[in-house]
Amino acid sequence: MHSLNLGILAHVDAGKTSLTERLLHTVGVIDEIGSVDDGSTQTDTLALERQRGITIKSAVVSFAIDDVTVNLLDTPGHPDFIAEVERVLSVLDGAVLVISAVEGVQAQTRVLMRTLQRLRIPTLIFVNKIDRAGARCTDLLESISTRLTPAIVPMGEVRELGSRDAHFAPHDGFPPGLLELLAEHDDALLAAYVDDEATVSQDRLRTELAAQAGQSLVHPVFFGSAVTGAGVDELVGGIRKLLPSAEGDADGPVSGTVFKVERGPAGEKIAYVRMFSGTLRTRDRVTFGDGEDGKVTGITVFDRGSDPRGDQVPAGRIGRLWGLTGIRIGDTLGVPRKGPDEHYFSPPTLETVVVPRDKADKGALHLALTQLAEQDPLINLRQDEIRQEISVSLYGEVQKEVIQATLAEEFGLDVGFRETTPLCIERLVGTGAAVEFNGKEPNPFLATVGLRVDPAPVGSGVEFRLEVELGSMPYAFFKAVEDTVRETLGQGPHGWQVTDCTVTMTHSGYSPRQSHAHQGFDKSMSSTGADFRGLTPLVLMDALRQAGTLVHEPMHAFRLQAPADTLGAVLPVLAKLRAVPQTTQARGSASVLEGRIPAARVHQLEQQLPALTRGEGELETVFDHYAPVARGVLPERERTDHNPLDRKEYLLNVTRRVGG
């Protein structure tokens, strides 16, 4: 039996979860359709999801279409939970992108479509809510073509649009213009079209449409309503005929990807894995992460509406695994897959301090947040040992509410938050170098470390290089220097992460193993890894100060559509928030502004916009780039390390070998 791992993606409130319920009902998995408003859906199982009517965690549910087992993954639509979507993308064979016929193409819709196209994930488009007042069809297709992709194929038309009787009427044959669209990607079809398009049969068009949809070259568009069921049968047919089944050799080497981790009733880790190759069985030992291994003690496999206990997960299928205690989201099981290990979406650009209402809960809070971070690798924790505080990175304000509610419901912790601040970075201004030699004051460590820092292209990250012979000292000491360099760059001279640079080790040296007459190891006379870990931050910080760093703040691209007569009120507010409009277009009685705005000001603009535009303003924002902080007080971040900027304080905290 074939399988298909299918993602349902959309902007928030487009109707993904309702469509999931309707699909499950249509294929016979459930007898009664759940309601998002009533909190009775199959996939939104968290209490907070039911209360708020939004999807927060991705969920898997399985059903069959003819001879194909479909594992359907319902994902969050709210941009604050984009990390959940990112993890799901790595395991998909195809996707359905849901667009509301009323609200149309929105900010998150564009972000998702760009990513689906970049990853070449075959995608069908489902225009939902055709039964709602204000639903659009023709102009919405134009919007999809101009704002998402021109390679769309409407698979029918809508009748009785905007009423309870609205329904989807598939084309008798194929829509006009299909042959020309398909011929753009097929030379043989183009030749036939030029010679005599009448000779191209419907069967050939049907075959070529399926082939090009399966290669993500074209995107069939279906219309319907998850509430009434209109168009859902046709969508099910499209999923079966136009999206490719999962590929993989069940007899090949074991290779799978973990895209979700949750904890069971006893606190045990449960890993959701998509197998790409081989077959993983109960009691198998498997490697994962950075060479760790573990024994699989239990397996369930998603199949036809449930996930019964099984003894194996074959290639192409999704299962849940027990027994792998050190597993993390993103880990590869067995043989790593080919291709770059990259994030598809922008990183979090905001940060806040989580504060327990009861100071006695500090230890429990750290443990709880660590468990939450296990389930969300794009959300970073930052522990401040000095102030006994924990910071968490965020995508937006809604995420704070979710963290607060989750800590209360799952861990019994009552917490609050400090003010949300932007997550800045530091980039080098120039080149800097520093060196300290073993045995020479004021270096109290038995180590020689020399480092040079150079700027690197934007987006290149951090690269560590050697200009010394690898055999000049034990490899463990080089590794200690590299690991400490990467850790130290987490807090530059201004406290922010330093990125896009090359760090080169220019000098190295150590004291060989020494002993007294009785041949006992004398640590005070011999270099250890601790010497290199202790000295490296001092040398690196000196090099960074010599090079100079510039603080960059996260900037969002914005698109604001508002009535033209409200621009007089909107523009001064944009200026006050340091937003820079770059283009202005007239669209009927409305104006569309596009430009850049600091991430720290987006929430304020969202709050003020309704009053400024009589409730008619529409705002889209997405992370765009980091820009140098040009105005105001340079943002400094409180340090959580031993502060290598202050040599005396650092040495008092790090070592007892304080020299001169």
Side-chain angles (χ1 to χ4, degrees):
M1 190 169 185
H2 301 294
S3 60
L4 167 66
N5 298 300
L6 177 72
I8 303 288
L9 299 92
H11 188 95
V12 67
D13 289 335
K16 291 180 295 60
T17 301
S18 297
L19 178 59
T20 299
E21 290 290 308
R22 177 61 68 174
L23 284 170
L24 295 177
H25 182 267
T26 299
V27 298
V29 170
I30 57 176
D31 296 325
E32 185 176 345
I33 297 174
S35 166
V36 173
D37 293 335
D38 296 339
S40 56
T41 60
Q42 295 290 307
T43 52
D44 284 350
T45 56
L46 297 179
L48 191 61
E49 290 179 315
R50 297 181 184 278
Q51 291 166 14
R52 293 191 61 116
I54 60 173
T55 301
I56 296 170
K57 294 289 183 183
S58 59
V60 184
V61 65
S62 182
F63 58 87
I65 304 176
D66 299 332
D67 63 339
V68 177
T69 295
V70 178
N71 294 315
L72 190 150
L73 290 87
D74 184 21
T75 63
H78 199 289
D80 280 15
F81 310 110
I82 196 68
E84 285 289 324
V85 181
E86 169 161 291
R87 295 194 287 274
V88 166
L89 287 173
S90 65
V91 304
L92 296 183
D93 303 305
V96 174
L97 181 64
V98 184
I99 300 173
S100 166
V102 180
E103 288 83 11
V105 175
Q106 296 182 280
Q108 190 74 346
T109 321
R110 299 172 71 188
V111 171
L112 292 169
M113 189 63 182
R114 282 198 301 267
T115 307
L116 289 166
Q117 289 181 304
R118 188 168 74 249
L119 298 175
R120 300 299 294 272
I121 295 175
T123 302
L124 307 181
I125 296 173
F126 183 75
V127 178
N128 191 25
K129 303 184 182 181
I130 62 170
D131 58 315
R132 292 267 300 274
R136 297 170 291 144
C137 180
T138 303
D139 64 330
L140 181 54
L141 283 173
E142 293 176 0
S143 177
I144 293 172
S145 178
T146 57
R147 301 182 65 191
L148 295 183
T149 172
I152 57 173
V153 182
M155 300 301 289
E157 59 185 32
V158 180
R159 295 174 183 165
E160 307 292 334
L161 181 66
S163 71
R164 292 289 295 179
D165 296 325
H167 60 280
F168 178 64
H171 286 300
D172 183 14
F174 287 97
L178 177 62
L179 178 55
E180 295 94 316
L181 180 63
L182 298 178
E184 293 179 13
H185 306 288
D186 187 293
D187 291 341
L189 200 61
L190 177 61
Y193 170 65
V194 172
D195 290 342
D196 185 3
E197 60 179 293
T199 63
V200 180
S201 67
Q202 293 287 303
D203 286 343
R204 184 173 180 182
L205 279 177
R206 189 176 295 109
T207 301
E208 188 61 29
L209 174 60
Q212 292 196 21
Q215 297 173 56
S216 193
L217 297 174
V218 299
H219 305 284
V221 181
F222 296 84
F223 292 81
S225 168
V227 172
T228 67
V232 175
D233 285 333
E234 289 78 10
L235 176 62
V236 170
I239 292 170
R240 173 67 184 90
K241 296 173 184 177
L242 299 173
L243 293 179
S245 298
E247 298 179 353
D249 179 6
D251 298 321
V254 168
S255 180
T257 296
V258 175
F259 65 93
K260 180 176 179 178
V261 173
E262 64 184 15
R263 289 188 177 266
E268 74 279 18
K269 279 188 178 180
I270 305 170
Y272 286 64
V273 60
R274 154 73 193 270
M275 294 301 296
F276 290 94
S277 172
T279 300
L280 191 61
R281 297 176 174 84
T282 307
R283 295 184 292 279
D284 279 355
R285 293 200 72 84
V286 63
T287 58
F288 56 87
D290 296 325
E292 192 172 348
D293 77 325
K295 183 179 180 180
V296 178
T297 59
I299 292 175
T300 65
V301 181
F302 288 93
D303 186 40
R304 296 175 179 267
S306 63
D307 61 327
R309 282 278 178 175
D311 58 4
Q312 62 180 29
V313 191
R317 303 300 292 273
I318 288 177
R320 299 198 297 165
L321 310 178
W322 279 256
L324 306 179
T325 56
I327 200 76
R328 291 182 61 84
I329 292 170
D331 280 353
T332 293
L333 299 182
V335 179
R337 293 182 66 209
K338 294 181 180 179
D341 179 17
E342 63 170 343
H343 289 312
Y344 309 133
F345 300 109
S346 60
T349 57
L350 302 171
E351 183 179 56
T352 187
V353 174
V354 188
V355 183
R357 307 285 188 193
D358 186 342
K359 292 183 178 180
D361 287 337
K362 283 185 177 180
L365 175 60
H366 180 267
L367 181 62
L369 286 173
T370 300
Q371 288 194 17
L372 292 183
E374 283 178 354
Q375 303 169 28
D376 202 336
L378 289 188
I379 304 305
N380 302 310
L381 296 182
R382 186 170 178 266
Q383 177 76 23
D384 187 338
E385 299 290 353
I386 300 171
R387 298 168 190 82
Q388 293 293 299
E389 294 178 345
I390 302 176
S391 300
V392 60
S393 56
L394 302 168
Y395 281 96
E397 294 295 318
V398 174
Q399 209 172 353
K400 284 166 65 171
E401 299 176 37
V402 172
I403 291 173
Q404 186 177 45
T406 303
L407 290 172
E409 293 168 10
E410 297 186 14
F411 300 94
L413 297 171
D414 185 15
V415 302
F417 299 91
R418 300 259 178 85
E419 181 185 3
T420 301
T421 57
L423 265 175
C424 300
I425 63 170
E426 295 181 51
R427 289 196 175 112
L428 296 182
V429 175
T431 294
V435 60
E436 295 204 22
F437 294 97
N438 185 4
K440 291 188 177 181
E441 294 292 347
N443 178 12
F445 300 98
L446 294 178
T448 294
V449 174
L451 298 171
R452 186 180 67 248
V453 293
D454 297 284
V458 172
S460 61
V462 175
E463 183 180 2
F464 183 78
R465 296 176 179 172
L466 294 178
E467 273 186 5
V468 294
E469 291 292 334
L470 189 58
S472 62
M473 65 181 188
Y475 173 75
F477 295 162
F478 285 113
K479 187 71 167 63
V481 172
E482 179 178 357
D483 291 346
T484 306
V485 162
R486 295 186 183 279
E487 180 182 349
T488 304
L489 288 175
Q491 299 182 72
H494 299 285
W496 305 102
Q497 179 184 4
V498 181
T499 188
D500 301 332
C501 64
T502 300
V503 181
T504 304
M505 190 169 185
T506 58
H507 297 76
S508 66
Y510 73 109
S511 295
R513 188 180 181 91
Q514 303 288 331
S515 64
H516 290 299
H518 298 292
Q519 304 300 310
F521 173 49
D522 186 356
K523 183 178 178 182
S524 68
M525 300 172 62
S526 310
S527 295
T528 66
D531 288 292
F532 289 90
R533 288 191 293 272
L535 179 58
T536 297
L538 291 172
V539 176
L540 180 58
M541 205 56 66
D542 282 345
L544 289 174
R545 281 189 289 203
Q546 187 183 119
T549 64
L550 196 58
V551 177
H552 290 62
E553 64 180 332
M555 301 293 292
H556 282 215
F558 74 85
R559 181 181 185 277
L560 194 162
Q561 181 169 321
D565 63 352
T566 65
L567 287 188
V570 170
L571 289 173
V573 173
L574 291 176
K576 186 177 180 180
L577 297 177
R578 295 198 288 122
V580 180
Q582 295 173 319
T583 64
T584 306
Q585 294 180 343
R587 184 162 295 176
S589 60
S591 290
V592 178
L593 303 179
E594 293 187 355
R596 303 290 181 267
I597 183 172
R601 303 286 185 249
V602 170
H603 186 57
Q604 291 174 258
L605 180 57
E606 290 172 338
Q607 290 179 313
Q608 296 182 45
L609 192 61
L612 296 170
T613 62
R614 303 189 296 271
E616 298 180 46
E618 297 178 10
L619 178 68
E620 299 176 10
T621 70
V622 62
F623 171 78
D624 189 69
H625 68 290
Y626 287 94
V629 176
R631 285 186 277 170
V633 179
L634 197 66
E636 299 276 342
R637 193 188 198 193
E638 292 182 331
R639 305 193 71 87
T640 60
D641 58 10
H642 293 301
N643 191 16
L645 291 169
D646 185 326
R647 188 182 188 92
K648 184 177 180 180
E649 176 188 344
Y650 177 82
L651 292 175
L652 286 171
N653 285 320
V654 170
T655 180
R656 293 178 182 177
R657 285 196 206 135
V658 181

